[in-house]
Amino acid sequence: MEIPGEDKTGHTTPPTRNPGKPPRKGRRSTVRAAGRGYSPRLGAVGILTGLVVLWHLVSRSGWVPAFILPGPLQILDTLWTQRDVLSRHALTTLGVAAGGLVLSVSLALVLSMIMDALPLVRDSLYPLVLGSQMVPLIALAPLFILWFGFGMAPRIIVVVLVCFFPVLLSLLQGFRGVGQNRIRLLQSMGAGKLQIFWVVKLPGALISLFAGMKIAVTYSVMGAVIGEWLGGSKGLGVYLIRSQKSFAVERVFAAIGVIIVLSMVLYGLTALIQRMVMPWMGTNDE
């Protein structure tokens, strides 16, 4: 249902001055035209390549001992020789991150619906939710291990604590940013709160939901690794601790590389799902 003054997501858009008049070509358009041939992704690849080359030259020069800063080629060799071990630990970490992420998104969705529908509940719970993010995970994780043992549960809880807040906050802001004209129109047609939520509020908050999920997926792997640091027998966090105690710095770098790849894969999957659910958004925000 298209409402004048609102975009496809349901958010209100500012009016356009002189709608029939073509936009003037000013300094901003000139700058855009000058940078039209520049690709941000290509620039990022160029910067990363330059840093890796610099890292290789420093490691080859002997300024820093190899047991402190191994070179990129040594880390690639470690990744290859340790591929079976790293794959097993990575699958465990990925399972913990994915499980915690699904739980956190589900919990945030349900709680945001309740908080949006009931302002009293929102005002009461919001300070508590905000306060939960101010307690260091390092202080809470030992309690989870004492209460739930060394299984998957405490690690998944750590991931939920890390990922829950950005999704909840994004959804609350998304619900509040939905165009009021649509809501008033449906109310005038006799629609109930549940119908307004499914027809207007949830579609209008989808972009905020995916924005929060993109932040959460990058945190999920980090949360899983922190949980594995504090207890467990498998996972990249366990591999990191063992490599650190063995002074195997190249294995630590290899595990960090795998963690980055896992985070990028989860981020890419989230962006792909967003593109499938919201094809009109395009790829401008990625």
Side-chain angles (χ1 to χ4, degrees):
M1 183 182 299
E2 294 292 337
I3 302 294
E6 292 182 359
D7 57 14
K8 292 182 178 180
T9 62
H11 292 77
T12 303
T13 55
T16 304
R17 294 180 180 176
N18 302 326
K21 187 177 180 181
R24 290 186 300 175
K25 292 184 179 180
R27 184 172 178 272
R28 184 175 297 177
S29 60
T30 305
V31 173
R32 285 179 181 173
R36 196 165 293 165
Y38 174 75
S39 171
R41 293 179 182 178
L42 193 60
V45 171
I47 293 172
L48 181 62
T49 305
L51 290 175
V52 171
V53 170
L54 181 63
W55 179 8
H56 174 71
L57 293 176
V58 170
S59 65
R60 294 283 293 179
S61 68
W63 294 342
V64 182
F67 65 89
I68 294 178
L69 182 64
L73 295 180
Q74 187 179 353
I75 294 169
L76 286 177
D77 182 65
T78 304
L79 279 169
W80 178 251
T81 56
Q82 292 280 308
R83 60 186 183 280
D84 294 334
V85 180
L86 281 170
S87 299
R88 289 196 296 272
H89 287 294
L91 283 177
T92 302
T93 302
L94 187 61
V96 173
L101 186 64
V102 170
L103 274 179
S104 59
V105 172
S106 305
L107 185 61
L109 186 60
V110 172
L111 191 58
S112 63
M113 290 167 57
I114 296 173
M115 292 173 72
D116 181 69
L118 304 171
L120 182 61
V121 175
R122 181 188 61 210
D123 296 339
S124 303
L125 284 183
Y126 192 80
L128 300 178
V129 174
L130 186 62
S132 69
Q133 301 302 305
M134 298 178 183
V135 182
L137 277 178
I138 299 296
L140 289 176
L143 290 176
F144 298 148
I145 292 173
L146 288 174
W147 293 339
F148 302 105
F150 290 93
M152 298 281 283
R155 287 179 274 173
I156 290 180
I157 291 174
V158 171
V159 176
V160 171
L161 279 179
V162 171
C163 300
F164 167 73
F165 185 70
V167 180
L168 176 71
L169 192 63
S170 301
L171 275 172
L172 288 176
Q173 290 181 346
F175 288 149
R176 297 185 70 174
V178 172
Q180 293 299 314
N181 291 337
R182 287 175 172 244
I183 296 176
R184 293 191 192 100
L185 177 62
L186 288 184
Q187 285 174 340
S188 67
M189 297 168 68
K193 287 187 176 181
L194 192 59
Q195 289 175 306
I196 292 174
F197 176 81
W198 286 112
V199 175
V200 176
K201 285 204 167 185
L202 186 58
L206 276 179
I207 187 170
S208 300
L209 170 63
F210 281 106
M213 285 179 61
K214 286 179 179 176
I215 298 173
V217 293
T218 58
Y219 288 172
S220 62
V221 180
M222 178 194 70
V225 170
I226 291 175
E228 291 162 355
W229 277 354
L230 301 168
S233 57
K234 290 182 181 177
L236 290 173
V238 177
Y239 183 87
L240 275 170
I241 292 293
R242 290 175 181 171
S243 301
Q244 178 200 1
K245 291 181 177 177
S246 304
F247 298 99
V249 183
E250 69 280 2
R251 293 187 182 184
V252 174
F253 275 101
I256 293 172
V258 175
I259 289 170
I260 293 173
V261 170
L262 287 182
S263 299
M264 292 177 67
V265 168
L266 288 176
Y267 185 92
L269 285 175
T270 306
L272 180 63
I273 294 172
Q274 181 187 8
R275 202 175 303 170
M276 295 169 63
V277 175
M278 307 174 65
W280 60 87
M281 291 301 299
T283 59
N284 293 333
D285 61 333
E286 298 160 20

